[in-house]
Amino acid sequence: MEFFRIKKDIPFMRHALIFNVISALTFVAAVFFLATKGLHLSVEFKGGTVMELKYPNAANQEKIRADLVKLGYEQPEVTSFGTAQEVMLRLPITKAVAGSSGSQIVFDALCKSESGAVTKINTVVKGQSVMKDVCHNPAGAEVLSLQKVEFVGPQVGDELAQNGVNALIMVVLFVVFYLAVRFEWKYAVSAIIANLHDVVIILGFFAFFQWEFSLAVLAGVLAVLGYSVNESVVIFDRIRENFRKQRKTSVEEVIDNAITSTISRTIITHGCTQMMVLSMLLLGGATLHYFAVALTIGILFGIYSSVFVAAAIAMWLGVKREDLIKPIKEKDETDGAVV
């Protein structure tokens, strides 16, 4: 499906050097911010407590933050999710409120702030009887309830961080292997450089703005890696096809034609994907916000890197028609002859 057809090839490769210099500077800046500022890791990586609370009316988040600061949390994260009555707390481990018992201390303090007292009630969840903390005021009305609590210890956080790095390395190795088998090593090297360029720049954005880097964001980064590879494969496929059809054109012209002829498909594919990501960004709430931000940055840089980085590096590595199309061996007429 093509919305439009560009009759004259756009000379992308003529400007490849300029754009790659810009890419190199952006890459270095991202590495600099990662080295100097680091990532603002979430409680899943650092260890801490995640609590979900429900108030009968819209929660006063400023008041909740003030109560948490009194308990010793320097920068407590308080966000609403679902409705204004439901609040999520993401609390790092502190010396004042340490260990898994911290959630009980926090709930008691917030209940007291609502002029209530904590009581335990027996409820049935998924067919099982569980004890649940509920906060009632002197009149007997429920003013706060604890919906969910999760505690991640520092050791578990370190393991999650290590597993995330392992997952990233495995994805990179499999991508290189897949491209080397499907095409040729020059394409595999150029594609993986372009895709790692995207990943490092996403991480650089998160380091510079100190956005929270959670497991959801890590999943987004891994998704971008696969997504960007797909875009490079589409262009490489078209380059291989052009090498078969255009036997008298230069490598630069073949690549320009391949990119130009896939622009319509690129706009349709990435436009539809970005509409879905935008819906998560605008309507997904705090839980999906940074996941959608990572995908948005990844989609934009994935298009850019596939055109100006992957294709250009492949050209500079010296790809040629013989890399993809094996020459036909001339039949030896004397082969098999009996003298």
Side-chain angles (χ1 to χ4, degrees):
M1 179 179 180
E2 285 186 307
F3 279 159
F4 54 87
R5 185 183 292 275
I6 302 174
K7 295 181 179 178
K8 187 176 180 180
D9 292 345
I10 302 172
F12 291 102
M13 293 302 101
R14 185 186 303 171
H15 310 290
L17 181 59
I18 298 173
F19 283 103
N20 274 267
V21 170
I22 295 173
S23 291
L25 294 175
T26 310
F27 184 90
V28 171
V31 173
F32 173 76
F33 292 127
L34 281 170
T36 56
K37 304 184 76 170
L39 292 172
H40 173 41
L41 299 173
S42 67
V43 294
E44 289 100 335
F45 296 110
K46 293 190 299 185
T49 305
V50 179
M51 300 175 63
E52 295 179 5
L53 306 174
K54 186 173 184 179
Y55 288 80
N57 302 308
N60 186 340
Q61 296 188 14
E62 290 302 321
K63 181 184 175 185
I64 296 172
R65 285 194 189 90
D67 292 334
L68 294 173
V69 170
K70 290 178 184 175
L71 287 176
Y73 293 104
E74 295 182 357
Q75 294 180 335
E77 296 181 25
V78 182
T79 56
S80 59
F81 70 101
T83 64
Q85 290 84 23
E86 295 172 304
V87 176
M88 176 182 290
L89 310 180
R90 304 169 75 87
L91 307 172
I93 295 176
T94 66
K95 293 181 180 178
V97 187
S100 58
S101 62
S103 60
Q104 188 63 55
I105 297 173
V106 170
F107 187 73
D108 291 347
L110 295 179
C111 179
K112 187 177 179 181
S113 178
E114 297 294 324
S115 302
V118 177
T119 57
K120 292 186 179 297
I121 61 172
N122 194 6
T123 60
V124 178
V125 179
K126 296 180 180 180
Q128 293 185 346
S129 177
V130 296
M131 296 299 293
K132 179 181 178 182
D133 288 340
V134 179
C135 178
H136 290 96
N137 62 14
E142 183 176 314
V143 293
L144 178 64
S145 64
L146 179 61
Q147 302 294 306
K148 182 180 176 183
V149 59
E150 293 178 355
F151 174 74
V152 180
Q155 186 175 357
V156 176
D158 291 341
E159 291 177 0
L160 284 173
Q162 185 60 50
N163 290 338
V165 174
N166 293 341
L168 185 62
I169 294 172
M170 285 184 65
V171 170
V172 170
L173 292 178
F174 277 115
V175 166
V176 171
F177 176 75
Y178 166 69
L179 291 176
V181 170
R182 177 162 180 169
F183 296 99
E184 207 255 347
W185 70 268
K186 296 171 187 173
Y187 292 90
V189 170
S190 58
I192 205 62
I193 290 175
N195 295 333
L196 289 178
H197 156 277
D198 301 341
V199 169
V200 171
I201 287 177
I202 294 172
L203 297 179
F205 269 97
F206 274 78
F208 178 74
F209 291 105
Q210 287 294 290
W211 294 331
E212 185 182 63
F213 190 85
S214 62
L215 282 176
V217 176
L218 176 61
V221 171
L222 294 176
V224 166
L225 195 53
Y227 186 83
S228 186
V229 166
N230 183 59
E231 183 64 22
S232 300
V233 166
V234 169
I235 293 177
F236 290 166
D237 265 335
R238 187 58 61 94
I239 291 174
R240 177 165 56 184
E241 187 179 325
N242 285 352
F243 271 136
R244 289 173 177 153
K245 294 179 179 177
Q246 305 170 2
R247 295 181 177 275
K248 295 183 179 180
T249 52
S250 66
V251 173
E252 185 174 324
E253 291 171 334
V254 165
I255 295 176
D256 286 340
N257 179 266
I259 298 172
T260 305
S261 60
T262 56
I263 283 181
S264 178
R265 172 259 173 207
T266 299
I267 293 174
I268 295 171
T269 303
H270 296 295
C272 293
T273 307
Q274 188 56 46
M275 283 194 290
M276 179 272 293
V277 174
L278 275 178
S279 65
M280 286 195 294
L281 184 65
L282 300 176
L283 306 173
T287 306
L288 295 176
H289 179 74
Y290 288 122
F291 172 72
V293 169
L295 288 180
T296 299
I297 298 171
I299 289 172
L300 296 177
F301 277 91
I303 300 170
Y304 166 82
S305 66
S306 298
V307 173
F308 290 108
V309 180
I313 292 178
M315 179 180 69
W316 292 328
L317 286 175
V319 293
K320 52 184 181 297
R321 183 174 287 102
E322 290 75 16
D323 292 335
L324 300 173
I325 303 172
K326 301 299 180 186
I328 300 173
K329 293 183 178 178
E330 293 184 3
K331 187 177 180 180
D332 186 356
E333 295 180 354
T334 62
D335 186 25
V338 177
V339 179

